[in-house]
Amino acid sequence: MSTHIGFDFTPPDVPGKVTGEIKYAEDYKREGMVFARLLTSPLPSGRVVGIDAREALRMDGVLGIFTADDLPPVAPPGNPALASEYVSFVGQPILAVAAVTEEIAESAIEKIRVDFERRPFVVDPLESLTPGGANAYPEGNTLVRTEEEGPEGTPIRGAEIRDVKWPQSAIDALRAGKEPKGAEFTTDWSFGDLDAGFAEAAVIVEEPFVTIGYPHHSLESRTCMAYWENGKCYFHGSSQSQSANDNGLARMLDIDPANLVFINEATGGGFGSKIGPYPYMAISGNFAKRLNRPLQLRITREQEFYIGSARSGMQGWIKMGVKANGKVSAIDLVVVNDGGMTGAGSGNSSAQHVTVAYQPENMRFRGISVYTNTTPRGAQRGPGQNEMAAVLAPIADKAAKAIGMDRVAFRRINAIDSNGFQGGGQGPVTSAFVREALDQGMRTFGWEEKNALAKQNGSKVRGLGVGIGYHGAGGRGYDGLVRIGTDGKLYIHSGVGNLGTYSYAGTCRAAAEALQVPWERCEIVRGRTDNHLPHSSGQGGSNTIFTHTRTNWVAAQDAIRKLKEIAAQDLGGEPEDYMIGDERVFATAEPSRGLSYAQAAARAIELGGKFSGEEYPDDINPITQRAVQGLAGSGLIGVAKDNIPGEGQPPGILVGFCEIELDKDTGKLEILDYTAIADCGTVVHPKNFENAMRGGAVWGVGLAAFERHVYDPQNGLPANTGLYQSKPPTYLDVNVETKMGAVNIPDPQNPTGGRGIGEPTQGAAAAALASAISDALDGHVFNTAPTTTDMIINHLAGNDYSTKYLKTNTF
Amino acid sequence: MPMRCNFLHLIISSTVAYDANNARVRVPPPRNTDRHAFHNKKTEQCFVNDSVNLQLTRRRFIKGVIFSGAAATSGAGIYLAANAQSGNGGMERLITLTINGRTRRVDVPPTETLANTLRYRLNLTGTKIGCNRGECGACTVLIDGVPNYACSVLTHNVKTKQVTSIEGVKNEDGTLHAVQQAFIAENAPQCGFCTPGQVMSAVALLANNPRPTKAEAAQAMSGNLCRCGAYEHYLNGVLRASGQIA
């Protein structure tokens, strides 16, 4: 019987958050700390001709400047911490100035003279693909994989930036919502027989779509502080992850990972933008080393917009064939990604969403990611999947309507199950129960009852929507590490980051459950490298619940094995003659014969070797090896790599149901009801699960209705760098009551039954809301994400200004 | 509700933004106001030059205001706007503040914001700076019981006021305020960066409206942005703190 999994608890960092006592990177000070600030590019594209910092360096209190010359070179389209020659977006850091106060550093920035040459720029991928269109980089506009013949015929694979242009006819076709014939792509895959699939279709729906990227805008900007002591770097950074940063950050600082202490107890949001070490960490650490002073590099809100990453955008086209029975027989998908200056398009993930949501019998995907002179793009909560969910839902509704099928029934007949597949490779999943989720959602939401109600009420019209969100949700092969102290307490060492999802804590419950230790007798050890933390995954991709319930489980199993071995050695018999319970290991046949965990830990220290961490398994990661070495001799050590057998991707899937009221006079919409039902295996932490549903819904509303990059196309200047204009949803933009539930069927490949669900919470809500907007407007398909109030008003006024030509990154 | 100082702040920050932008994208000196200079795509050379402020006509200043969030770049941001306003103007820097019921003597330039004073002079780092421009509410504190954005209040303007930051919210016996207890029970914070500001707004709300509806609470706390989207968690916390759910 479960004792921890599926029960509520308070993660240990929550009280510190409500009292303000918990510290984020910027809250740390250090004796002698100095301050650095960035000088950033005012141009969307150009070349730095010269930098004259003489006047700045003469100022009292200025300690030095730091430029790209102080760091290893980064070739385009890598995202350098500091631009070396070419600048590629407004806000790109060019240099840093350090001074004894932040005021002086800022003033010094103003005294630096930078000479630029302008270059052409582009903020719309399709403009760059147009014959004669500008390229974001001097070398071209897209990354192309290359392959040359190497020694003995071994191919040498690489990538280079090239200039790709489409025929004008292909550009015109895509903007008009047709297949861009003759266009060049850099990614493609297919399965089945597309032509045969369309030939079988009773209905074919063909639509263009555009989704606009937008900034992560984590509320804590990526301020870092670093100092060095005797060759060790102590680094305070804001990151989603903990141990997963060690090697990359050490490389940035050119030190052995053993000499890095990365401190990251709390992180003020990441949403994909802080999964790994970000380039600007190199400035803080290396500048601090050069000055031999603790150094803080403060990032402002505007700078967080510039360098804090953003979701990629899409301009695309989809053709969906549906058989008379509702089964999707064929899908042809084209995605042009807006990769910003880093080119991180997520078209393949968008296509993956299509495969999971509708399990098409035949499909083709073609994609290209185009650089634009806009902010760097990277992973943002369900990158690719979630924006695809938002634009695809109304298109799927249109297909369902065309064959006369209820929209939920349409999704049900196409739903993935445990025998289903994901992605272009049609890989397996560990389990999936989407039909069950849809059925549960229909009941909870009252789909049929609400459909029977009148839609129109004066100028206001109701709309109902349904959507599916999906993301792969789990990894394998990481390490777990637990220690039973001589106080009998269970210390669960976690290299998982704390980005506010509390998965770091939820996953530790697996070790407590396995070892049957009451939660109040457990302590999570985390937050800084010198707390001896194991090799853990990065906290991205909704993976943590699946990945690290497994690692903590296997570490606990190792501890149990050792407990039994110690008991057998001391008390006679074989290890299998013993069992655990009540914080004791005891003979199954004679429960009074046993050792308390505290006694066993003391014996482990006396016995040494594997029992107390002097020896450890060969297959654990060097990060974990160092952690075990640090703990050796301090208790009974349980350490293991997750070698639990199995295959397939653990999917996180959510279905959302949304009811809105849309005012046709103003375009304003109000969310009346939102219901989310998850297929994420066993719910590990119910309260946290509920809150994940709520928070994800807010993100869904932002994606579907509000958030977008706006650039001035004439000058390449961003027009909405702040929070106010970027428009993340506020209290008043979202519903105040979310209904939620879970199928709660355990995943067979996780000892606790759990899978992740973080990212799909947004995709399902965005899709359900987009579906509801379309429903409110008699099935009108906007094919945009977001669908903003002005787009709705323009549509109602018969004006297609907002939505034609696949415009992006602008109003 | 928190008092927004957006308008004032917009002007300040947009001046900075505008200066910073112009400072780096300047054409040879204009013959007249040269309103296209900044946007001249044919310009080959651009450079930093403080004298660019000479171009600051009212028309362009207002354009800068309009484009505020827009634009620009740079090193700009935290201090220059304030410093540019004036020097000390003969004002006494050593002032007495009442923070969380305690009297504190502190050396503060007249242009410094309360958020900076709390965090960087008094080490009260529970007050967070999320935007430094009156948009997010992470820095919300109570001034004579009224929620304010500390990033948009000059410290010298609160010399005669009672300032309460998150560090002063606990009950006199050291136990957590009902709002804090309720937020823990609801697991309300996600990343937690906005949480101190949310607590302050909730505390002020319940002092004025002990049993708000969820919609009233949403209205009252709408000046506090939560990027994680933990709004409903906080609202449930408010209802719990007010005894409406247990």
Side-chain angles (χ1 to χ4, degrees):
Chain A
M1 192 182 78
S2 198
T3 53
H4 294 72
I5 302 299
F7 293 92
D8 285 335
F9 68 103
T10 299
D13 58 316
V14 174
K17 287 177 174 174
V18 305
T19 60
E21 289 166 5
I22 198 165
K23 284 188 183 295
Y24 298 79
E26 196 185 306
D27 296 334
Y28 284 94
K29 278 184 184 170
R30 194 80 187 164
E31 184 69 28
M33 187 170 88
V34 299
F35 303 87
R37 294 300 307 279
L38 296 172
L39 186 154
T40 60
S41 171
L43 301 177
S45 183
R47 192 168 78 87
V48 177
V49 176
I51 297 171
D52 184 352
R54 285 173 297 180
E55 192 180 349
L57 289 169
R58 282 196 296 270
M59 290 173 62
D60 281 347
V62 172
L63 300 169
I65 72 166
F66 197 81
T67 69
D69 293 340
D70 298 298
L71 293 169
V74 177
N79 184 13
L82 295 165
S84 54
E85 182 179 1
Y86 288 98
V87 290
S88 309
F89 64 102
V90 173
Q92 183 169 13
I94 295 169
L95 58 84
V97 174
V100 294
T101 70
E102 208 166 1
E103 295 93 324
I104 294 173
E106 264 191 14
S107 300
I109 292 281
E110 295 301 305
K111 301 293 184 192
I112 294 173
R113 180 188 176 103
V114 181
D115 291 315
F116 294 101
E117 280 178 7
R118 283 185 180 276
R119 284 195 63 257
F121 67 87
V122 63
V123 296
D124 181 331
L126 287 184
E127 282 186 12
S128 186
L129 288 173
T130 301
N135 293 332
Y137 284 104
E139 299 88 349
N141 61 355
T142 192
L143 197 68
V144 178
R145 290 196 182 89
T146 59
E147 186 171 318
E148 298 171 21
E149 192 172 327
E152 299 174 5
T154 311
I156 300 173
R157 294 190 175 89
E160 65 181 27
I161 297 179
R162 282 195 195 152
D163 180 12
V164 170
K165 297 291 181 243
W166 284 6
Q168 186 63 48
S169 58
I171 299 286
D172 294 342
L174 188 57
R175 288 198 189 278
K178 301 296 179 190
E179 182 184 0
K181 289 181 178 164
E184 180 179 348
F185 298 95
T186 54
T187 307
D188 65 273
W189 51 254
S190 63
F191 56 78
D193 183 335
L194 199 66
D195 291 338
F198 282 119
E200 279 187 277
V203 163
I204 292 177
V205 174
E206 184 178 353
E207 294 286 341
F209 57 85
V210 59
T211 72
I212 305 178
Y214 58 92
H216 294 68
H217 263 323
S218 305
L219 209 52
E220 180 201 15
S221 66
R222 54 201 60 219
T223 293
C224 296
M225 191 268 276
Y227 60 94
W228 295 73
E229 286 181 355
N230 300 323
K232 273 200 168 196
C233 183
Y234 293 79
F235 198 103
H236 294 268
S238 173
S239 178
Q240 295 174 222
S241 309
Q242 175 73 48
S243 295
N245 281 6
D246 289 357
N247 291 338
L249 183 53
R251 269 196 304 276
M252 283 183 178
L253 304 175
D254 196 23
I255 57 175
D256 189 298
N259 288 324
L260 171 67
V261 179
F262 178 53
I263 302 151
N264 184 36
E265 286 117 342
T267 299
F271 316 111
S273 73
K274 301 175 183 170
I275 295 175
Y278 34 87
Y280 318 98
M281 286 178 159
I283 302 172
S284 318
N286 288 302
F287 208 178
K289 186 177 190 179
R290 208 181 78 192
L291 297 173
N292 197 23
R293 305 273 292 269
L295 181 141
Q296 184 187 74
L297 173 64
R298 178 103 67 90
I299 302 301
T300 65
R301 174 53 43 196
E302 292 83 354
Q303 289 171 342
E304 184 63 19
F305 169 87
Y306 296 131
I307 67 175
S309 191
R311 185 182 291 274
S312 174
M314 291 195 291
Q315 293 155 305
W317 166 85
I318 190 168
K319 183 176 169 186
M320 176 187 277
V322 181
K323 294 196 278 195
N325 66 358
K327 182 63 201 156
V328 174
S329 58
I331 286 181
D332 197 4
L333 176 67
V334 165
V335 172
V336 177
N337 270 126
D338 177 356
M341 67 79 70
T342 46
S346 36
N348 192 53
S349 298
S350 301
Q352 190 188 33
H353 167 84
V354 177
T355 65
V356 172
Y358 297 100
Q359 297 280 283
E361 293 172 337
N362 309 279
M363 182 170 168
R364 174 171 66 170
F365 163 65
R366 290 168 290 170
I368 184 169
S369 185
V370 178
Y371 300 117
T372 58
N373 296 107
T374 60
T375 62
R377 309 302 176 96
Q380 185 189 94
R381 199 169 195 163
Q385 293 96 348
N386 285 354
E387 58 265 36
M388 193 72 230
V391 287
L392 183 56
I395 296 171
D397 290 350
K398 184 175 178 179
K401 189 175 179 182
I403 57 165
M405 183 175 267
D406 172 76
R407 291 177 286 156
V408 177
F410 177 67
R411 284 161 175 81
R412 200 178 185 287
I413 198 169
N414 289 293
I416 187 172
D417 59 25
S418 298
N419 297 314
F421 66 92
Q422 51 79 26
Q426 296 186 285
V429 294
T430 54
S431 65
F433 304 96
V434 180
R435 288 191 187 92
E436 290 81 350
L438 285 164
D439 293 346
Q440 189 173 335
M442 279 182 74
R443 290 193 301 272
T444 306
F445 181 74
W447 175 258
E448 289 174 355
E449 298 82 345
K450 286 182 194 290
N451 263 302
L453 297 174
K455 286 187 76 168
Q456 192 85 24
N457 178 18
S459 69
K460 294 181 176 173
V461 58
R462 286 169 61 256
L464 301 179
V466 57
I468 295 175
Y470 150 78
H471 197 278
R476 297 176 162 87
Y478 294 90
D479 300 333
L481 175 60
V482 299
R483 179 174 72 93
I484 299 173
T486 52
D487 56 3
K489 287 177 69 174
L490 175 63
Y491 296 87
I492 306 160
H493 290 245
S494 173
V496 169
N498 178 12
L499 65 162
T501 62
Y502 301 117
S503 55
Y504 84 87
T507 52
C508 287
R509 305 270 288 180
E513 171 114 4
L515 279 156
Q516 300 178 36
V517 180
W519 191 238
E520 58 275 15
R521 298 276 294 152
C522 297
E523 191 172 311
I524 301 173
V525 184
R526 51 167 296 276
R528 47 185 298 155
T529 314
D530 52 4
N531 276 341
H532 313 302
L533 310 180
H535 176 52
S536 302
S537 65
Q539 272 52 73
S542 304
N543 82 88
T544 309
I545 285 288
F546 182 88
T547 310
H548 288 291
T549 47
R550 287 166 57 113
T551 59
N552 286 319
W553 184 269
V554 296
Q557 297 304 323
D558 185 54
I560 292 168
R561 272 191 299 276
K562 289 167 180 170
L563 284 166
K564 291 180 178 177
E565 285 182 34
I566 289 172
Q569 277 193 35
D570 283 12
L571 305 174
E574 299 297 322
E576 49 271 25
D577 297 335
Y578 288 83
M579 61 184 294
I580 60 163
D582 295 329
E583 301 170 72
R584 293 177 70 244
V585 55
F586 55 88
T588 307
E590 186 185 350
S592 62
R593 183 157 56 92
L595 298 169
S596 69
Y597 280 2
Q599 290 169 325
R603 282 293 291 142
I605 293 170
E606 290 168 7
L607 291 166
K610 68 177 181 181
F611 295 109
S612 66
E614 274 86 2
E615 297 166 13
Y616 40 79
D618 294 335
D619 61 352
I620 60 172
N621 188 277
I623 291 174
T624 314
Q625 291 177 18
R626 282 195 297 277
V628 177
Q629 289 161 7
L631 291 174
S634 63
L636 187 151
I637 302 296
V639 58
K641 179 178 178 177
D642 164 19
N643 289 320
I644 298 172
E647 62 163 8
Q649 183 196 69
I653 304 178
L654 193 94
V655 299
F657 293 80
C658 188
E659 179 184 18
I660 64 165
E661 187 173 72
L662 193 152
D663 189 328
K664 294 175 87 167
D665 287 344
T666 65
K668 183 178 187 302
L669 62 87
E670 186 177 350
I671 298 168
L672 304 178
D673 198 356
Y674 178 67
T675 297
I677 305 295
D679 171 22
C680 60
T682 302
V683 173
V684 170
H685 181 184
K687 174 66 84 177
N688 199 49
F689 167 82
E690 292 171 6
N691 286 345
M693 298 301 108
R694 295 171 177 133
V698 173
W699 268 74
V701 172
L703 169 57
F706 293 117
E707 298 186 63
R708 58 176 162 176
H709 267 322
V710 176
Y711 277 79
D712 163 11
Q714 187 181 344
N715 304 292
L717 300 178
N720 57 350
T721 62
L723 293 163
Y724 186 67
Q725 303 110 327
S726 288
K727 194 51 190 157
T730 72
Y731 273 99
L732 303 181
D733 296 318
V734 296
N735 49 310
V736 297
E737 196 79 50
T738 301
K739 295 177 197 156
M740 76 281 290
V743 176
N744 224 0
I745 299 174
D747 188 279
Q749 294 192 29
N750 186 296
T752 66
R755 291 191 244 116
I757 196 63
E759 284 153 288
T761 56
Q762 178 191 22
L769 176 53
S771 169
I773 293 171
S774 177
D775 182 53
L777 298 172
D778 300 323
H780 175 72
V781 181
F782 283 93
N783 293 332
T784 58
T787 301
T788 58
T789 303
D790 54 305
M791 293 175 186
I792 294 169
I793 283 291
N794 275 332
H795 161 67
L796 290 168
N799 178 350
D800 61 1
Y801 167 80
S802 298
T803 47
K804 70 177 177 181
Y805 303 138
L806 303 185
K807 289 191 304 183
T808 191
N809 290 334
T810 190
F811 291 116
Chain B
M1 286 181 61
M3 294 171 61
R4 289 179 181 272
C5 298
N6 281 353
F7 180 66
L8 174 64
H9 197 81
L10 203 61
I11 291 174
I12 292 172
S13 53
S14 60
T15 306
V16 173
Y18 182 77
D19 284 350
N21 235 351
N22 273 319
R24 287 164 181 77
V25 192
R26 191 191 162 221
V27 292
R31 283 176 226 164
N32 50 38
T33 54
D34 190 13
R35 72 188 179 89
H36 295 297
F38 172 51
H39 297 297
N40 190 340
K41 292 166 77 172
K42 293 177 184 167
T43 305
E44 290 297 323
Q45 293 286 317
C46 323
F47 53 88
V48 171
N49 189 328
D50 285 347
S51 67
V52 76
N53 282 343
L54 296 174
Q55 293 184 52
L56 190 60
T57 64
R58 176 163 176 74
R59 182 172 184 170
R60 298 192 64 188
F61 176 79
I62 290 172
K63 198 159 75 173
V65 171
I66 292 168
F67 270 86
S68 79
T73 70
S74 73
I78 299 176
Y79 295 99
L80 286 178
N83 289 347
Q85 301 305 302
S86 68
N88 286 352
M91 287 181 71
E92 175 66 56
R93 284 177 52 125
L94 193 61
I95 58 174
T96 302
L97 300 173
T98 309
I99 312 282
N100 300 330
R102 289 182 58 200
T103 301
R104 308 287 292 261
R105 291 283 282 172
V106 56
D107 179 10
V108 181
T111 51
E112 182 166 296
T113 66
L114 181 57
N116 271 19
T117 303
L118 292 172
R119 285 183 55 81
Y120 307 127
R121 295 189 195 277
L122 299 173
N123 205 28
L124 296 171
T125 55
T127 296
K128 304 301 180 199
I129 296 178
C131 66
N132 207 32
R133 51 192 285 172
E135 293 182 343
C136 75
C139 64
T140 302
V141 298
L142 305 186
I143 300 175
D144 287 344
V146 177
N148 276 263
Y149 293 162
C151 75
S152 304
V153 174
L154 295 177
T155 307
H156 276 248
N157 286 351
V158 298
K159 284 186 287 191
T160 60
K161 315 278 189 186
Q162 298 282 333
V163 176
T164 308
S165 70
I166 185 70
E167 290 86 354
V169 167
K170 282 182 186 172
N171 298 317
E172 286 182 4
D173 62 2
T175 57
L176 296 183
H177 187 283
V179 166
Q180 293 173 308
Q181 293 181 33
F183 278 14
I184 292 172
E186 289 295 330
N187 220 19
Q190 294 275 187
C191 83
F193 202 76
C194 75
T195 305
Q198 306 277 0
V199 170
M200 301 312 292
S201 289
V203 167
L205 164 65
L206 295 183
N208 291 298
N209 181 359
R211 290 180 69 81
T213 64
K214 221 169 178 178
E216 287 171 341
Q219 190 76 38
M221 296 180 64
S222 61
N224 291 79
L225 201 64
C226 172
R227 187 46 163 156
C228 300
Y231 298 126
E232 202 178 328
H233 329 357
Y234 289 124
L235 296 178
N236 289 337
V238 169
L239 295 192
R240 180 178 288 272
S242 61
Q244 298 180 77
I245 58 175

